[in-house]
Amino acid sequence: MEFNVQSLSKTFGEGRHARLVLKDINFKVCSGEFTAIVGRSGTGKSTLLRLLAGLEHPSHGVIRMDGQPVTGPGPDRGLVFQNYSLYPWLNLAQNVAFGMSLQGHFSRQEIRERTAYFLDVVGLADRRKLLPRECSGGMQQRVAIARALAAGPKVLLLDEPFGALDLHIRATMQNFLYRLWERTRLTAILITHDLEEALLLAQQVHVLAPNPGHISHTFTTNFNHQDLNSLRFSSSFLHQRQILAQAMESIEPYSEDMGPT
Amino acid sequence: MTTHLIQRRFPSSTLRSSAWRLGLHGTSLLLPVLLWLVVSHAQVVDAAFLPSPPQVMDSLWSMARDGILVADASASIRRVMLGFLVAAVVGVPLGILMGSFATIRALLEPLSGFLRYMPAAAFTPLLIIYLGIDEAPKIALIAIGTVFFNMLMVMDAVKFVPQELIETTFTLGGSQRQVVAQVITRYALPSIIDTLRINMATSWNLLVVAELLAAEVGLGKRIQLAQRFFRTEQIFADLLVLGLIGFAIDLTFRLLLRLTCRWAV
Ligand SMILES: Nc1ncnc2c1ncn2[C@@H]1O[C@H](COP(=O)(O)OP(=O)(O)OP(=O)(O)O)[C@@H](O)[C@H]1O
Ligand SMILES: [Mg+2]
């Protein structure tokens, strides 16, 4: 599998109101790779992910998946939003199964087995009967990930999936996602503004610079992930984090809304 | 949904106890009856204008005994139900489509918004010319007076379906058709049921107008006849029956909501 983004640009609006949000984005993601895209608020991160998902159309350039241009949303690209977008009328197991039953080419037996498997993968096998509203944010987000994976995507797109969680749960979920990646070798593109999260999870980190959004830096990481919690405080990790922070600082030293008034 | 919203916005710890709630409900119904008893007993108002509760009960009983009450009520219920059904079968799907597709909305919203402001009763002469004086124009009047409210209110309900839920469904492999049928409609179902519950009252309001058209039987018709003969106790009795039927239907819708949408209540 190869996900290829070539000279991608996006303009919203027309004529006088036209606004260039993304300009000339190029990158490639190969099978089994975890890629992160970091950037400040409003740089166009969500827009980029929506383009990759096929929910927006590029103004210029192409997104190719195994050579085929992406023209709309499809089950080969799973998506997880920041806000838990579970179906409130379905219990957790039914939520996970929903995508498979929409697609129509899974047998009942397959749906049952895959649902059980992915609920187990996210550690919620014993909560399968709960409704989303009875679950914490972290649990809901794990279900959203299980649901996306169960539908059989080639790549998983995550838009600040843990942005609404508190710091502690966030760290737990990051560890969870890393172990999930290790286990399933899923191909993933993660949008985040949390540098630690990006470095911890991804092998490739792109920095999205604003006005208009473009990739200014790309880092590759190579850490020892045996113990994720001590990795966070290891000197090599903190050093890399500092380099990444400086890179972001260099593109936008002081943003206007943060400066003195 | 409206009532639940209020509960969520202004939670009352005492209202959680069902005995207390039942007490409040009882008070809201019994207090006016008590007041009525007192006023009619004190004979502040001429009994010809304000019949006493026993007089009304007598009238109710005699109408029931003669079979008038059942004939009137069943004729009226049938008209309202048929008109309401047509309005629901036409209005709900159109409302869902208008809420889901910008093109359909652009096509139908101005028209239905315009027609909604024409009083349905004003269509009566036309309906008689087109449909005669039997049941058809009465049912049509109720349907016309209800359908545009259904369309616009369901359309509004559909707007509250989170965009992310719809988009997630597309990325899970859902088709446009599946999104409309299995996600948008399902998510909006509690609001749709509530819309129907509210617009049921509109249908009942139109009944009396509909029965002005050469009806033989019907609760509205009986009220008009009673006025002609100055039978205020009969008017009171029929109003009471109208209220009870409406109340029962309202409860049925609430029950339906509870049964089908446990996740939302
Ligand atoms: N549909 C749209 N129409 C017009 N402008 C849009 C649209 N979607 C996004 N934008 C604009 O594009 C810019 C980038 O938005 P986007 O949501 O991609 O940023 P982001 O990096 O995800 O921000 P955040 O970190 O706050 O989520 C914003 O200025 C936004 O106003
Ligand atoms: Mg965003």
Side-chain angles (χ1 to χ4, degrees), chain A residues 173-190:
Chain A
M173 291 293 291
Q174 288 162 355
N175 294 356
F176 154 76
L177 189 57
Y178 188 80
R179 296 296 172 216
L180 182 69
W181 176 78
E182 261 185 344
R183 192 167 156 187
T184 57
R185 285 292 155 158
L186 56 103
T187 315
I189 300 175
L190 168 77

Side-chain angles (χ1 to χ4, degrees), chain A residues 40-98:
Chain A
R40 297 255 168 85
S41 188
T43 46
K45 302 187 297 296
S46 295
T47 306
L48 177 56
L49 205 74
R50 293 173 58 78
L51 282 159
L52 301 184
L55 295 167
E56 303 276 2
H57 294 288
S59 308
H60 191 272
V62 274
I63 302 159
R64 287 181 196 276
M65 180 138 199
D66 290 332
Q68 290 298 318
V70 164
T71 52
D76 53 343
R77 283 150 292 134
L79 187 58
V80 177
F81 285 110
Q82 170 172 354
N83 293 309
Y84 336 112
S85 39
L86 298 182
Y87 304 102
W89 61 92
L90 298 177
N91 68 32
L92 302 190
Q94 291 166 328
N95 261 286
V96 174
F98 195 70

Side-chain angles (χ1 to χ4, degrees), chain B residues 23-39:
Chain B
L24 282 179
H25 284 180
T27 313
S28 99
L29 291 174
L30 282 179
L31 205 67
V33 174
L34 210 69
L35 206 69
W36 178 20
L37 262 171
V38 170
V39 172

Side-chain angles (χ1 to χ4, degrees), chain A residues 14-247:
Chain A
E14 280 168 24
R16 266 194 320 126
H17 299 288
R19 176 144 178 258
L20 185 63
V21 171
L22 291 173
K23 191 188 163 201
D24 197 26
I25 308 277
N26 292 282
F27 65 88
K28 200 167 95 177
V29 180
C30 293
S31 224
E33 274 183 355
F34 203 125
T35 298
I37 296 165
V38 295
R40 297 255 168 85
S41 188
T43 46
K45 302 187 297 296
S46 295
T47 306
L48 177 56
L49 205 74
R50 293 173 58 78
L51 282 159
L52 301 184
L55 295 167
E56 303 276 2
H57 294 288
S59 308
H60 191 272
V62 274
I63 302 159
R64 287 181 196 276
M65 180 138 199
D66 290 332
Q68 290 298 318
V70 164
T71 52
D76 53 343
R77 283 150 292 134
L79 187 58
V80 177
F81 285 110
Q82 170 172 354
N83 293 309
Y84 336 112
S85 39
L86 298 182
Y87 304 102
W89 61 92
L90 298 177
N91 68 32
L92 302 190
Q94 291 166 328
N95 261 286
V96 174
F98 195 70
M100 290 182 278
S101 57
L102 287 177
Q103 290 178 32
H105 57 75
F106 290 93
S107 72
R108 267 162 197 269
Q109 174 75 9
E110 264 178 309
I111 293 180
R112 209 171 322 118
E113 282 170 10
R114 285 176 69 89
T115 301
Y117 173 75
F118 284 104
L119 271 177
D120 186 51
V121 163
V122 299
L124 290 170
D126 52 338
R127 309 288 175 89
R128 48 182 295 126
K129 288 279 160 62
L130 293 183
L131 285 176
R133 68 166 185 199
E134 297 167 316
C135 299
S136 68
M139 279 165 71
Q140 291 193 35
Q141 219 44 343
R142 279 189 280 166
V143 176
I145 291 170
R147 180 180 60 183
L149 292 177
K154 291 182 184 160
V155 52
L156 187 64
L157 308 172
L158 305 137
D159 190 354
E160 303 202 25
F162 311 136
L165 304 176
D166 73 47
L167 280 179
H168 177 69
I169 313 242
R170 220 175 146 129
T172 313
M173 291 293 291
Q174 288 162 355
N175 294 356
F176 154 76
L177 189 57
Y178 188 80
R179 296 296 172 216
L180 182 69
W181 176 78
E182 261 185 344
R183 192 167 156 187
T184 57
R185 285 292 155 158
L186 56 103
T187 315
I189 300 175
L190 168 77
I191 300 284
T192 182
H193 56 244
D194 181 335
L195 304 186
E196 185 178 306
E197 183 170 292
L199 288 174
L200 191 77
L201 293 169
Q203 295 91 52
Q204 197 168 186
V205 179
H206 298 294
V207 176
L208 200 64
N211 299 324
H214 62 281
I215 293 178
S216 64
H217 302 75
T218 297
F219 297 91
T220 38
T221 67
N222 190 8
F223 297 119
N224 175 4
H225 284 85
Q226 215 140 50
D227 181 345
L228 294 173
N229 286 330
S230 52
L231 171 59
R232 290 169 198 268
F233 299 103
S234 71
S235 60
S236 62
F237 186 85
L238 291 174
H239 179 67
Q240 186 69 53
R241 191 184 188 289
Q242 194 183 3
I243 292 174
L244 184 54
Q246 278 166 353

Side-chain angles (χ1 to χ4, degrees), chain B residues 120-124 127 136-146 206 209-210 213:
Chain B
F123 283 92
T124 312
L127 291 175
K138 302 181 183 65
I139 292 163
L141 178 69
I142 292 170
I144 289 172
T146 313
L206 287 163
V209 183
L213 314 172

